[in-house]
């Protein structure tokens, strides 16, 4: 097979993986399951052991059917893509690790994280020693490299799942929430250290040597030493590394340069026979304490969204479904899963009892540490492709199936367990706990548009103060601002701006908000353009406005009346709103009417030539909707030309999301500026005729 044919196959494979991973990921999220599990299942379904192995035209072995591949079940090219994805994933995980939290809660978080890792590791290794013979796999003892690998995979925690639950329950700042997040930091770091040690042992065993206990200890110390030296050096040099990557340009450029540093250290670790992902994680960990960390997270987000689902899908492709559902794998997988759950409950919950938590709090902490996820799958993939002294994979297909089952089940059972434990009333600590150091400040602007504007001003002002501002979720209006040791969380909740920061920084934030409001007020008072808006208003009365599908897509006969009864402006608005409700998109009539009247108070929506287009944006509707009304004798609507309005188009759309209100207005006004359209509408006898007239207006 020549290089062109190899690349062509890869292109087809990537295309299918992209669509399948996103499709199954969306389905998983819809059912309240993490998308990573959907992506994993997608890989299993389209992989070489399932649909991907079916012969197709031009693909006699199937699209993913691979024979004699050095990368196992997938092609070397696809495996390379997944390895790049794992580096990006662990680099991002390192960036998300809060070093300040690590230090601040080094006692409670450290003991709980250490307990979770140590107990999970030994429980996992002991369980492996028990189940390996059941799977027909030779085991030389508790320190057999296969046992060590299953021990490491048992330590991993996917705290992202837990964090979402804590956030939904508003428990992020609770003693349990803070402790879980801090313990997860230690959990990740210690898990990476153990992986470094075990990979050093694997490398030595790969040479065919028989190692004594002392030799294994020396190898472990060497691997740990390399990791520790690199980590300490990068953390101490983090600010210099940040300055170095800034040399390459703006936010996007220095973020890519930072990823380049991660690849560099990943390659170095691999050369030292330590997994690449450890180097990537170490780079992210070092940069997590710098003020550019949130910016890098934001800028590499698109790369993350592209590559990481590919990694999980490729991991799923390595699962042999015929062995995954075999009796022995299911039994051993069930045993390993049960041990993994108990290990976290005991390993994390018991230390919590000695750190001021009661049984309820200890159980919550243990439950929050149950989910396994990304790291467990990455380690399993490393074991699947690593060889032992006899040249066989450390993790064969049976063991791989056991790990996949454990990851799936722990990720699925943890959320309901944690949800139930958090829903039980009563504190989780033995004594009342004083308020956290962080403070929350809310300010209600009573107007969502103004809230959006103030938030934009705040972002700009904080950037001018040297903060790096990162949008965490653009659609929800959540962002963080960070500079040195100062971290500020800002979010929009309806018409409110909610600010959370350390009490030492709250004075600065309040002052910044006050100055922003004063500047905005001054700008509005000096806006001379508001004194002459007739030219702007005339824009909607322009016959050249494009008549597009924005006009026809909203036409609904249920929302049309050819005989309006109202005799005043307010009566027409009420009658039109009644029509609008027939669209099924109006959730709050009072909210919509209030918004319509506010808009009319700001300036009449009566145009000229007998046309009025009352409109507004409000979250009283779920999506853009239109009502059309005709009153042949007309009503005084404060129109531009002083004449009665006879044709009414009411348009209402939500404040949030993408809703083409202005484009729809332009389309309707463009159609109505033609005299033949207006004449036909005034002569229309029923809603069906109105719809046909407006549809035909596109041809004029």
């Amino acid at each position: 097979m020549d290089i062109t044919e190899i690349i062509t196959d890869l292109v087809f494979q990537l295309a299918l993986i992209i669509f399948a991973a996103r499709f199954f990921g969306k389905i998983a999220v819809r059912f309240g399951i993490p998308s990573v599990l959907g992506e994993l299942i997608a890989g299993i379904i389209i992989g070489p052991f399932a649909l991907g192995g079916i012969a197709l035209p031009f693909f006699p072995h199937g699209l993913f059917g691979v024979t004699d591949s050095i990368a196992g079940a997938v092609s070397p090219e696809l495996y390379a893509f997944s390895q790049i994805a794992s580096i990006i994933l662990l680099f991002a995980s390192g960036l998300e690790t809060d070093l300040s939290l690590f230090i601040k809660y080094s006692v409670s978080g450290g003991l709980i994280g250490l307990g979770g890792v140590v107990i999970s590791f030994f429980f996992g290794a002991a369980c492996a020693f028990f189940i390996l013979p059941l799977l027909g796999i030779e085991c030389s003892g508790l320190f057999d490299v296969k046992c060590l690998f299953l021990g490491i995979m048992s330590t991993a925690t996917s705290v992202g799942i837990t964090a979402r639950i804590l956030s939904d329950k508003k428990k992020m700042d609770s003693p349990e929430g803070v402790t879980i997040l801090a313990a997860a930091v230690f959990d990740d770091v210690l898990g990476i250290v153990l992986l470094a040690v075990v990979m050093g042992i694997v490398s030595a065993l790969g040479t065919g040597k028989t190692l004594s206990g002392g030799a294994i200890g020396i190898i472990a110390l060497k691997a740990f030493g390399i990791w520790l030296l690199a980590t300490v050096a990068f953390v101490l040099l983090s600010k210099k590394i940040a300055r170095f990557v800034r040399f390459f340009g703006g936010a996007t450029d220095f973020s890519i340069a930072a990823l380049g540093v991660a690849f560099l250290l990943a390659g170095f670790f691999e050369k030292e026979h330590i997994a690449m992902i450890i180097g990537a994680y170490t780079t992210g960990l070092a940069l997590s304490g710098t003020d550019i960390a949130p910016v890098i997270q934001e800028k590499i987000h698109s790369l993350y969204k592209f590559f990481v689902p590919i990694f999980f899908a490729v991991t799923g492709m390595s699962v042999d479904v015929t062995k995954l559902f075999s009796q022995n794998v299911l039994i051993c997988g069930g045993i390993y899963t049960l041990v993994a759950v108990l290990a976290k409950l005991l390993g994390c919950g018991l230390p919590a009892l000695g750190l001021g938590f009661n049984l309820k709090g200890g159980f919550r902490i243990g439950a929050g540490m149950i989910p396994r996820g990304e790291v467990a799958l990455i380690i399993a993939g490393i074991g699947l492709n690593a060889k032992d002294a006899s040249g066989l994979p450390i993790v064969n297909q049976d063991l791989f199936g056991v790990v996949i089952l454990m990851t799936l089940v722990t990720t699925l059972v943890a959320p309901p367990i944690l949800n139930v434990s958090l829903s039980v009333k009563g504190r989780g600590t033995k004594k009342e706990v004083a308020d956290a150091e962080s403070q929350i400040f809310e300010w209600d602007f009573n107007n969502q548009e103004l809230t959006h504007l103030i938030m934009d001003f705040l972002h700009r002002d904080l950037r001018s103060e040297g903060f790096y501002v990162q949008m965490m979720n653009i659609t929800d209006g959540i962002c963080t601002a960070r500079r040195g040791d100062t971290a500020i969380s800002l979010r929009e909740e309806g018409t409110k701006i909610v600010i959370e920061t350390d009490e030492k920084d709250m004075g600065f934030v309040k002052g910044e908000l006050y100055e922003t409001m004063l500047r905005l007020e001054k700008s509005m008072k000096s806006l001379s353009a508001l004194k002459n808006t007739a030219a702007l208003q005339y824009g909607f009365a322009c016959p050249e406005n494009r008549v597009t599908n924005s006009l026809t897509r909203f036409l609904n006969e249920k929302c049309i009346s050819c005989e309006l009864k109202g005799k005043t402006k307010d009566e027409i608005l009420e009658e039109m709103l009644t029509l609008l409700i027939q669209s099924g998109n109006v959730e709050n009539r009072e909210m919509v009417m209030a918004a319509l009247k506010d808009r009319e108070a700001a300036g009449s929506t009566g145009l000229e030539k007998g046309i009025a287009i009352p409109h507004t944006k409000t979250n009283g509707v779920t999506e853009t909707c239109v009502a059309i009304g005709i009153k042949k004798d007309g009503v005084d609507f404060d129109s531009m030309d002083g004449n009665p309005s006879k044709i009414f188009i009411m348009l209402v759309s939500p404040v949030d999301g993408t809703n083409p209100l202005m484009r729809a207005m332009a389309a309707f006004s463009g159609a109505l500026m033609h005299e033949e359209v207006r004449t036909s509408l005034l002569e229309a006898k029923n809603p069906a005729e109105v719809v046909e007239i407006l549809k035909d207006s596109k041809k004029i």
Side-chain angles (χ1 to χ4, degrees), residues 219-368:
I219 292 168
L221 284 174
K222 178 187 174 184
F224 174 74
I226 292 172
W227 173 83
L228 183 62
L229 183 63
T231 302
V232 171
F234 265 55
V235 169
L236 293 176
L237 296 172
S238 60
K239 292 184 179 178
K240 291 184 178 180
I241 295 171
R243 282 199 294 271
F244 167 72
V245 298
R246 277 198 186 104
F247 168 79
F248 291 93
T252 301
D253 294 310
F254 73 61
S255 299
I256 293 172
L259 185 57
V261 175
F263 275 100
L264 188 66
L265 192 61
F268 168 75
F269 269 58
E270 189 64 36
K271 287 293 185 182
E272 291 296 322
H273 306 292
I274 303 173
M276 288 189 292
I277 60 168
I278 302 173
Y281 182 85
T282 300
T283 307
L285 184 67
L287 291 174
S288 68
T290 66
D291 53 7
I292 65 172
V295 183
I296 298 172
Q297 284 179 283
E298 181 182 10
K299 296 302 179 183
I300 68 168
H301 185 67
S302 296
L303 281 175
Y304 185 99
K305 293 288 283 183
F306 173 74
F307 276 99
V308 173
I310 292 176
F311 166 76
F312 291 119
V314 171
T315 301
M317 289 179 185
S318 300
V319 177
D320 187 339
V321 290
T322 60
K323 294 186 177 180
L324 178 64
F325 296 108
S326 68
Q327 184 177 355
N328 283 348
V329 169
L330 289 173
I331 292 172
C332 293
I335 295 171
Y336 185 51
T337 301
L338 181 62
V339 168
V341 171
L342 290 175
K344 288 296 183 183
L345 286 173
L346 296 174
C348 298
L350 290 178
L353 298 179
L355 295 167
F357 291 93
N358 55 28
L359 282 172
K360 193 182 300 178
F363 184 82
R364 288 170 179 168
I365 290 171

Side-chain angles (χ1 to χ4, degrees), residues 639-655:
S639 60
M640 291 168 56
D641 57 7
N643 294 324
S645 298
K646 300 179 180 181
I647 301 172
F648 300 90
I649 311 289
M650 179 176 282
L651 296 102
V652 183
S653 70
V655 175

Side-chain angles (χ1 to χ4, degrees), residues 360-563:
K360 193 182 300 178
F363 184 82
R364 288 170 179 168
I365 290 171
M369 301 292 284
I370 287 175
R372 272 54 166 198
E374 299 88 343
V375 177
L377 293 174
I378 291 174
I379 297 171
I382 292 172
L384 192 64
N385 289 280
K387 308 295 182 184
D388 60 17
S390 59
L392 296 174
I394 293 172
V395 176
N396 67 7
Q397 278 295 337
D398 288 335
L399 272 185
F400 193 64
V402 167
V403 175
I404 294 295
L405 283 174
M406 184 273 290
T407 304
L408 287 169
V409 175
T410 55
T411 305
L412 290 173
V413 302
I417 293 174
L418 183 57
N419 260 318
V420 170
S421 67
L422 290 172
S423 298
V424 177
K425 293 182 179 180
R427 65 174 187 264
T429 54
K430 295 176 181 177
K431 298 178 181 179
E432 289 286 352
V433 178
D435 291 339
E437 294 180 10
S438 63
Q439 290 185 347
I440 295 178
F441 174 73
E442 296 182 359
W443 193 268
D444 195 341
F445 293 92
N446 299 311
N447 183 293
Q448 200 158 20
E449 295 286 350
L450 184 58
T451 305
H452 286 321
L453 186 59
I454 292 288
M455 185 68 95
D456 288 341
F457 268 71
L458 268 176
H459 293 171
R460 195 180 314 157
D461 289 350
L462 287 169
R463 286 191 179 99
S464 69
E465 292 283 345
F467 283 81
Y468 281 95
V469 179
Q470 176 196 15
M471 291 301 300
M472 303 296 292
N473 190 321
I474 294 174
T475 57
D476 291 339
I478 303 172
C479 80
T480 59
R482 186 168 176 175
R483 185 177 186 271
D485 296 332
T486 302
I488 304 166
S489 171
L490 304 102
R491 67 180 185 272
E492 294 180 40
E493 290 185 358
T495 60
K496 295 179 182 178
I497 287 180
V498 182
I499 301 170
E500 184 175 357
T501 189
D502 192 284
E503 59 183 352
K504 297 176 183 177
D505 299 311
M506 187 57 79
F508 158 74
V509 178
K510 288 181 179 179
E512 189 69 57
L513 179 60
Y514 178 67
E515 291 298 322
T516 298
M517 291 164 64
L518 286 179
R519 282 181 29 252
L520 181 60
E521 182 185 29
K522 181 180 178 181
S523 298
M524 295 304 293
K525 285 181 177 178
S526 63
L527 189 58
S528 59
L530 286 173
K531 299 174 184 177
N532 181 21
T533 58
L536 295 175
Q537 190 177 13
Y538 180 73
F540 286 114
C542 178
E544 284 75 31
N545 277 336
R546 188 189 301 273
V547 182
T548 65
N549 287 331
S550 296
L551 183 151
T552 58
R553 64 181 286 197
F554 298 118
L555 296 178
N556 183 342
E557 291 186 19
K558 294 180 181 179
C559 303
I560 299 174
S561 172
C562 297
E563 297 179 356

